[in-house]
Amino acid sequence: MGAPGDGDGQRDGRAGGGAGCGGPAGSRGAGSGEPPGPRPGARPAGMPRWLPRAFVLALGLVAAYQILSWAFLRVLGLLLDVLIAFFLALAMEPAVAGLSRRGVRRGPATALVSVVLLAAAAGFFGALGSLFVEQVSRIVENLPRYVSDVLRWSNAHFHTDLDVDRLRSRAIHSDWARGFLRSGARNVWGISATLLGGVFQLLTVALFTFYFAAEAPRLRVALCSVLPPARQAEVLRAWEIAVAKTGGYLYSRALMALISGGAHFVFLELLGVPYAAALAVWVGVVSQFVPTVGTYIGGALPLLIAFTVDPWTALWVLAFIVIYQQLENYVLQPRITARTVDIHPAVAFGSVVAGASLLGVVGALVAIPATATLQGFLGAYVKRYDVPGDADAPRLRRRRGRGGSEGLGRHEGHRSREGRERSSRWWRRGR
């Protein structure tokens, strides 16, 4: 009769024993004083899975940046040559396209324009070279007399006892002269390598220029074939503006250089200044293709040569340079550049300084054509509004209207379908 009670007690004892001392729960219970363990299936705390992959990715990016920087520095000279060739090809494009429309194939037309440009450059450097060689030979020939005059003046005014023969012997047998001759002999190979590198660079620029000018239609087709039709019209429009602005700027400057050189040649010849032709070529080219300060740089050389003839002759040359500069600024330049490009002198000077800071001499050469192209983009794609009370607005509208392609679509929100089709057919005209 005590069995049911005994059974219940045994069951309670087994339950109490299991809860107090049996199984994992009992061993890690609250009464044991040990902290609770991790849940079943939980991962131990440690390094996240994404951290090694992020570390490897960062190393890969740094390595790729170093490799690309190294490769870019290696090909930087080639990229600058290609940039110069591209702007030269843009300048040649109007002449080449004009010959192509008259039945001349693009290859012979490009060769003909290149020969004309090379002949003009050879004439310029030949004239300056003859002037330089003649002046150097004259200085070398008269150097003993100059030295004797200086020593005689020094002996008379400072009571010195200087002799030409003793100075010559000391200069020839001095350590400075010997060191200079040794360094010159060691630098012969370096100078030769520099000259060969310059010749190779000129040939590279000439080759790329000929390719860009002769294959311009195919190059435009290859570029536009990877773009949708709407983008093709925009690219061709931008190309047209670049050709018009770059070629217009260079041709207008060449015309003004021709006028300036002719005027200075006539005046210098009338005054009897030696090397009038070479000096006129120098003044014409430097004054037109070096912005703002080119007039003063170009006029310094003929002024110096005229001073060797007579101080009054130099004064007349200075007066003519100043008068012609005013005539050019207020009469010739506005009429010649009205249909091509008209860059403010401050903008031109700033672009040259910025280009020289970025790319050196190359940047200074391509700064103004690039600025003219950018100005053409802004004039064609930026919508402008009249300002109330602006008295120059009608005159500016007339100038923009005479500017040909610059005035097309300037005040329109979007071009019509006919305008887009005209732009897309533009590249076929040069074929």
Side-chain angles (χ1 to χ4, degrees):
M1 287 186 298
D6 294 337
D8 294 336
Q10 292 176 358
R11 283 195 299 270
D12 294 337
R14 285 195 300 268
C21 59
S27 61
R28 295 175 178 84
S32 62
E34 297 180 4
R39 291 176 299 174
R43 292 192 299 270
M47 182 182 298
R49 285 184 177 181
W50 57 267
L51 187 58
R53 287 181 292 180
F55 185 72
V56 172
L57 180 61
L59 289 180
L61 291 177
V62 171
Y65 173 76
Q66 295 293 335
I67 294 175
L68 291 177
S69 300
W70 172 81
F72 177 77
L73 293 176
R74 290 288 181 176
V75 300
L76 180 60
L78 178 62
L79 295 178
L80 294 179
D81 294 341
V82 172
L83 180 63
I84 296 174
F86 179 72
F87 276 99
L88 289 177
L90 290 180
M92 294 169 56
E93 177 63 24
V96 174
L99 292 176
S100 299
R101 286 193 294 269
R102 288 169 175 79
V104 184
R105 298 182 61 182
R106 287 196 67 92
T110 305
L112 180 59
V113 175
S114 302
V115 168
V116 172
L117 293 178
L118 289 177
F124 172 71
F125 288 108
L128 293 183
S130 63
L131 174 63
F132 178 76
V133 170
E134 182 66 24
Q135 292 296 322
V136 170
S137 62
R138 177 178 295 183
I139 291 174
V140 171
E141 181 181 355
N142 297 327
L143 183 60
R145 183 172 60 85
Y146 295 153
V147 174
S148 300
D149 294 340
V150 171
L151 294 181
R152 191 179 302 111
W153 181 83
S154 177
N155 293 332
H157 290 79
F158 297 101
H159 304 289
T160 57
D161 187 16
L162 300 176
D163 184 67
V164 177
D165 296 332
R166 281 185 296 176
L167 289 177
R168 185 187 300 115
S169 62
R170 289 180 182 177
I172 292 175
H173 298 92
S174 63
D175 296 335
W176 175 83
R178 294 174 183 175
F180 180 77
L181 292 176
R182 292 195 196 99
S183 62
R186 287 194 301 266
N187 292 333
V188 168
W189 291 108
I191 295 174
S192 302
T194 302
L195 291 177
L196 291 177
V199 172
F200 179 76
Q201 188 174 7
L202 289 177
L203 292 177
T204 303
V205 172
L207 178 63
F208 276 106
T209 302
F210 184 85
Y211 168 73
F212 286 147
E215 301 293 333
R218 295 182 181 180
L219 185 62
R220 286 191 289 268
V221 170
L223 180 63
C224 293
S225 61
V226 298
L227 300 174
R231 297 298 180 187
Q232 291 179 9
E234 297 297 329
V235 170
L236 293 174
R237 172 70 172 172
W239 197 298
E240 180 181 4
I241 293 174
V243 170
K245 295 302 177 182
T246 305
Y249 171 77
L250 293 180
Y251 291 148
S252 63
R253 288 295 173 178
L255 179 59
M256 293 176 63
L258 182 62
I259 297 174
S260 176
H264 283 84
F265 170 72
V266 171
F267 188 78
L268 294 176
E269 191 70 22
L270 290 176
L271 290 179
V273 179
Y275 315 107
L279 293 175
V281 172
W282 166 263
V283 172
V285 173
V286 174
S287 63
Q288 299 305 321
F289 289 96
V290 178
T292 307
V293 297
T295 301
Y296 309 104
I297 297 176
L301 184 59
L303 190 63
L304 180 62
I305 300 298
F307 190 81
T308 60
V309 176
D310 184 60
W312 286 105
T313 303
L315 185 61
W316 281 110
V317 171
L318 178 61
F320 177 79
I321 291 174
V322 173
I323 294 174
Y324 180 82
Q325 182 65 26
Q326 303 305 315
L327 178 67
E328 179 184 283
N329 290 337
Y330 293 102
V331 178
L332 295 178
Q333 184 172 349
R335 284 169 171 76
I336 293 177
T337 60
R339 296 182 179 274
T340 55
V341 60
D342 190 9
I343 302 179
H344 194 274
V347 176
F349 182 74
S351 64
V352 171
V353 172
S357 301
L358 293 175
L359 300 176
V361 179
V362 177
L365 290 176
V366 303
I368 293 184
T371 304
T373 303
L374 180 61
Q375 181 175 322
F377 291 160
L378 296 177
Y381 292 104
V382 175
K383 188 176 181 180
R384 297 180 183 270
Y385 302 91
D386 293 335
V387 178
D390 186 7
D392 294 334
R395 180 176 57 84
L396 293 177
R397 281 199 301 270
R398 288 195 299 270
R399 289 178 59 184
R400 287 197 295 264
R402 290 196 303 265
S405 61
E406 187 179 351
L408 295 178
R410 184 185 294 264
H411 298 287
E412 299 176 3
H414 60 276
R415 291 194 306 273
S416 62
R417 168 179 269 176
E418 291 80 10
R420 289 196 298 268
E421 291 178 356
R422 272 201 311 273
S423 299
S424 63
R425 289 196 301 269
W426 175 85
W427 59 272
R428 297 188 179 92
R429 283 184 260 163
R431 279 187 159 182

